Coordinates of all heavy atoms in Angstrom, one line a residue:
R27 N -4.8 16.2 -35.7 CA -5.6 17.5 -35.8 C -7.1 17.2 -35.5 O -7.7 18.0 -34.8 CB -5.5 18.0 -37.3 CG -4.1 18.6 -37.6 CD -4.2 19.5 -38.8 NE -4.6 18.8 -40.0 CZ -3.8 18.1 -40.8 NH1 -2.5 18.1 -40.6 NH2 -4.3 17.5 -41.9
T69 N -1.1 15.7 -23.5 CA -1.9 16.9 -23.5 C -3.4 16.6 -23.3 O -4.1 17.2 -22.5 CB -1.7 17.7 -24.8 OG1 -0.4 18.0 -24.9 CG2 -2.6 19.0 -24.8
L84 N -12.1 5.9 -22.9 CA -10.9 6.7 -23.2 C -10.0 6.9 -21.9 O -8.8 6.7 -21.9 CB -11.3 8.0 -23.7 CG -10.2 9.0 -24.0 CD1 -9.2 8.5 -25.1 CD2 -10.7 10.4 -24.4
L101 N -4.7 9.0 -13.7 CA -4.6 8.1 -12.5 C -4.7 9.0 -11.3 O -5.2 8.5 -10.2 CB -3.2 7.4 -12.5 CG -3.1 6.2 -13.5 CD1 -1.7 5.7 -13.5 CD2 -4.1 5.1 -13.2
A128 N -0.8 7.0 -5.9 CA -0.6 7.4 -4.5 C -1.1 8.8 -4.2 O -1.4 9.1 -3.1 CB 0.9 7.2 -4.1
Q135 N -7.4 1.0 1.5 CA -6.4 0.2 2.2 C -5.8 -0.8 1.3 O -4.6 -1.1 1.4 CB -7.0 -0.4 3.5 CG -7.3 0.6 4.6 CD -7.8 0.0 5.8 OE1 -8.1 -1.2 5.9 NE2 -8.0 0.8 6.9
D139 N -1.8 -0.9 0.4 CA -0.9 -2.0 0.8 C -0.1 -2.4 -0.5 O 1.1 -2.7 -0.4 CB -1.6 -3.2 1.3 CG -2.0 -3.0 2.8 OD1 -1.4 -2.1 3.5 OD2 -2.8 -3.8 3.3
R144 N 5.1 -2.4 -3.6 CA 5.8 -2.4 -4.9 C 6.5 -1.0 -5.1 O 7.4 -1.0 -6.0 CB 4.8 -2.5 -6.0 CG 4.1 -3.9 -6.0 CD 3.6 -4.2 -7.4 NE 4.6 -4.3 -8.3 CZ 4.8 -3.6 -9.4 NH1 3.9 -2.6 -9.6 NH2 5.8 -3.7 -10.2
S148 N 9.8 7.4 -3.5 CA 8.9 8.5 -4.0 C 7.4 8.1 -3.8 O 6.6 8.9 -3.5 CB 9.2 8.8 -5.4 OG 9.0 7.7 -6.3
L153 N 2.4 8.6 -0.6 CA 1.3 8.0 0.3 C 1.3 8.7 1.7 O 0.3 9.0 2.2 CB 1.5 6.5 0.4 CG 1.1 5.7 -0.7 CD1 1.5 4.2 -0.5 CD2 -0.4 5.7 -1.0
L161 N -4.2 3.9 5.6 CA -3.1 3.0 6.0 C -3.6 2.0 7.0 O -4.2 2.3 8.0 CB -1.9 3.8 6.6 CG -1.2 4.6 5.6 CD1 -0.2 5.6 6.3 CD2 -0.4 3.8 4.6
I221 N 6.1 12.5 21.9 CA 7.4 12.3 21.3 C 8.5 12.4 22.4 O 9.4 11.5 22.4 CB 7.7 13.4 20.2 CG1 6.7 13.2 19.0 CG2 9.1 13.3 19.7 CD1 6.8 14.2 18.0
T239 N 21.9 -14.3 25.5 CA 21.7 -15.1 24.2 C 20.7 -16.2 24.4 O 20.7 -16.9 25.5 CB 23.1 -15.7 23.8 OG1 24.0 -14.7 23.6 CG2 22.9 -16.6 22.6
I268 N -0.4 -21.5 24.6 CA -1.1 -21.5 25.9 C -0.1 -21.9 27.0 O -0.2 -21.3 28.2 CB -2.3 -22.4 25.8 CG1 -3.3 -21.8 24.9 CG2 -2.9 -22.7 27.2 CD1 -4.5 -22.7 24.6
C306 N 1.8 -14.7 11.9 CA 0.9 -15.8 12.1 C 0.0 -16.0 10.8 O -0.3 -17.1 10.4 CB -0.1 -15.5 13.2 SG 0.7 -15.6 14.9
P331 N -8.9 -5.9 25.6 CA -9.8 -6.4 24.6 C -9.8 -5.6 23.3 O -9.9 -6.2 22.2 CB -11.2 -6.3 25.3 CG -10.8 -6.4 26.7 CD -9.5 -5.7 26.9
S359 N 11.5 -7.7 10.5 CA 12.5 -8.0 11.5 C 13.1 -6.8 12.1 O 13.8 -6.8 13.1 CB 13.6 -8.9 10.9 OG 14.3 -8.1 9.9

Side-chain angles (χ1 to χ4, degrees):
R27 290 196 301 272
T69 301
L84 176 63
L101 288 175
Q135 292 182 350
D139 280 347
R144 297 204 64 242
S148 61
L153 283 172
L161 291 168
I221 293 176
T239 299
I268 292 174
C306 291
S359 64

